[in-house]
Amino acid sequence: MGVETVGIAVAAPAIDEAWLLETLAGLVAIPSWKGDERAAQEYVAAVMDGLGMDLDVWEIDEAELSRHPDYATELERERPLGVVGRMDWGGRAGKGLTGSGSTGSGPTLVLNGHVDVVPPGDPFRWTAPPFCMDVRGGRVYGRGVLDMKGPLVAGLAGVKAVLDSGVGLRGSLLFQSVIGEEDGGLGTLASVLRGHTGDGAIVVEPTGLHVANAQAGALNFRLSVPGRAAHGALRHEGVSALEKFMLVYRHLMDFEGQRNACVGDPRFGSNPAPYAICIGTVRGGEWASSVPEVVRAEGRFGVGVREDVGTARRLLEAQVAECCARDDFLRDNPVGVEWWGGQFAPCETAEDARIVTVARSVARDLGVGTGGLAAVPYGSDLRHLVNAGSTPGVLFGPGDVANAHREDESIGVDELVDGARAVALAVMRFLGRQA
């Protein structure tokens, strides 16, 4: 009997749904936002230890990490913690492992999920408290149940299923529980630079269990748009920075349309703007009856899958400069462009990479996803594994990302179980059986 057949037989019935939901409830109950992720990491480390995994738990040296060109963050953190669990079927590595790679007796597979979540927003917009997981109507509700504590715990449930089955495999499994994904990915970067890399990787982001072998990039930027103050009753004597901002905004929206009209990548499906330009915040003015003399706007600039980040930055800067050159005031008082916070580079894994073919076979045989390849329009930690860690990987996890970053964030119980099955089967297929 081949490992594929054994994998399906073991993975499907062995998922411990009660364990999955109980473990997830405990993790959701730990608020892990605004950079306060340590308690959540300690919780996951305890879960991994309970599964019998070897642990590497370390204090991340952010000062040292910040010297790396791929480092990015938006939040201040105290005592950031890295957590990696490992199972080695080629000989036990012992506690306190500080590196991975293949052991010589088989391949190494990396699983990755993040514990940080976005702010819950107004709790009165939720039908249940955001940090008290609620299960009703076959769905799980709470901040992070989808993005991405739920997929992370589903991944652990898949690992548990493999361990409970007793099937003998080859090589090593690494599970990276990381912080800071939402604001730049410092946790995964730290894990990769510590040596926790492999021959293939699965980031269990919610893709609806479509296999995504590519992601777009996303670069945070800030515009400083000048004006000239004047009394509101004599506004014709001033120059409204808000009006000048609208000129720039319309120009960038036209540029977004031109930029996306020729993408032509079927992996993005029907998305009309896979490389989106979004202005998320606009602030300006100091007094209701004064013409605003400056407006500051912050946004994100979508970067093409195969586009160089430096080239993308220069392209946006050139578009802002072109808009300024067309306006009498902005020609002499140009808009400033700064790059700040999250800087998510794009990445791509070859279609014929083993991790891609394994993930696609899992999706096909479990009847999830579409069986084809997808690309996602958002940045993720996959790029640190692929770019800095030289580990080919995919995004492959349960849930619909459209339900993330909003009130009443939710995911189906059956989706979580399917995600656990997918991880279990992927582990078995990628690592194979012992001879």
Side-chain angles (χ1 to χ4, degrees), residues 222-225 241 245 281-285 294-298 338:
R222 180 181 294 116
L223 304 177
S224 296
V225 184
F245 164 72
T281 67
V282 179
R283 301 179 180 89
V294 65
V295 163
R296 290 184 175 85
E298 294 174 345
E338 303 171 67

Side-chain angles (χ1 to χ4, degrees), residues 109-136:
L109 175 63
V110 178
L111 301 176
N112 173 286
H114 65 87
V115 300
D116 57 306
V117 300
V118 299
D122 183 354
F124 292 103
R125 296 178 66 88
W126 291 70
T127 55
F131 295 112
C132 183
M133 195 180 88
D134 186 28
V135 182
R136 62 182 187 272

Side-chain angles (χ1 to χ4, degrees), residues 272-406:
Y275 308 146
I277 302 173
C278 174
I279 300 294
T281 67
V282 179
R283 301 179 180 89
E286 297 182 1
W287 195 251
S289 61
S290 296
V291 175
E293 62 182 350
V294 65
V295 163
R296 290 184 175 85
E298 294 174 345
R300 58 92 73 188
F301 180 50
V303 182
V305 168
R306 298 169 186 168
E307 187 173 19
D308 175 73
V309 168
T311 300
R313 289 192 184 111
R314 290 189 291 274
L315 191 58
L316 181 70
E317 291 166 359
Q319 288 296 318
V320 174
E322 178 182 320
C323 180
C324 292
R326 297 177 181 177
D327 182 81
D328 290 341
F329 179 80
L330 293 179
R331 188 179 303 118
D332 297 326
N333 303 273
V335 174
V337 181
E338 303 171 67
W339 300 97
W340 71 282
Q343 302 291 297
F344 294 80
C347 71
E348 184 175 27
T349 295
E351 183 175 341
D352 61 353
R354 185 158 179 265
I355 188 61
V356 176
T357 58
V358 166
R360 292 184 73 181
S361 75
V362 168
R364 179 195 65 228
D365 292 339
L366 292 182
V368 297
T370 61
L373 290 177
V376 298
Y378 50 82
S380 81
D381 277 357
L382 180 63
R383 95 271 192 195
H384 287 320
L385 287 155
V386 172
N387 297 341
S390 299
T391 301
V394 295
L395 298 164
F396 183 47
D400 183 351
V401 73
N403 290 319
H405 293 211
R406 57 182 294 179

Side-chain angles (χ1 to χ4, degrees), residues 20 24 112-113 139 144-158 175 202-211 368-369 378 395-404 409-424:
L20 192 166
L24 179 56
N112 173 286
R139 296 190 68 81
V145 295
L146 172 68
D147 186 17
M148 68 175 298
K149 292 179 176 180
L152 186 155
V153 173
L156 289 171
F175 202 123
I202 296 174
V203 180
V204 290
E205 286 281 1
T207 64
L209 289 173
H210 302 298
V211 179
V368 297
Y378 50 82
L395 298 164
F396 183 47
D400 183 351
V401 73
N403 290 319
E409 178 180 347
S410 70
I411 186 172
V413 173
D414 58 342
E415 293 177 284
L416 290 170
V417 172
D418 281 345
R421 287 194 181 106
V423 166

Side-chain angles (χ1 to χ4, degrees), residues 86-92 101-109 168-174 199 430-434:
R86 174 175 178 168
M87 291 301 301
D88 185 355
W89 284 270
R92 305 298 287 171
S102 296
T103 63
S105 58
T108 296
L109 175 63
L169 303 176
R170 300 178 301 112
S172 302
L173 172 68
L174 296 171
D199 302 290
F430 194 84
L431 299 184
R433 297 181 68 188
Q434 293 177 351

Side-chain angles (χ1 to χ4, degrees), residues 35 37 62 65-66 68-77 112 114 116-118 178-192 205 215 218-220 313 340-346 379-385 387-388 405:
E37 303 128 325
E62 198 166 354
L65 191 66
S66 66
H68 194 279
D70 293 334
Y71 169 84
T73 188
E74 298 173 21
L75 301 171
E76 293 186 4
R77 290 176 168 85
N112 173 286
H114 65 87
D116 57 306
V117 300
V118 299
V178 300
I179 63 173
E181 190 274 346
E182 296 288 357
D183 66 307
L186 69 88
T188 296
L189 182 61
S191 296
V192 164
E205 286 281 1
Q215 65 163 68
L219 309 176
N220 280 14
R313 289 192 184 111
W340 71 282
Q343 302 291 297
F344 294 80
S380 81
D381 277 357
L382 180 63
R383 95 271 192 195
H384 287 320
L385 287 155
N387 297 341
H405 293 211

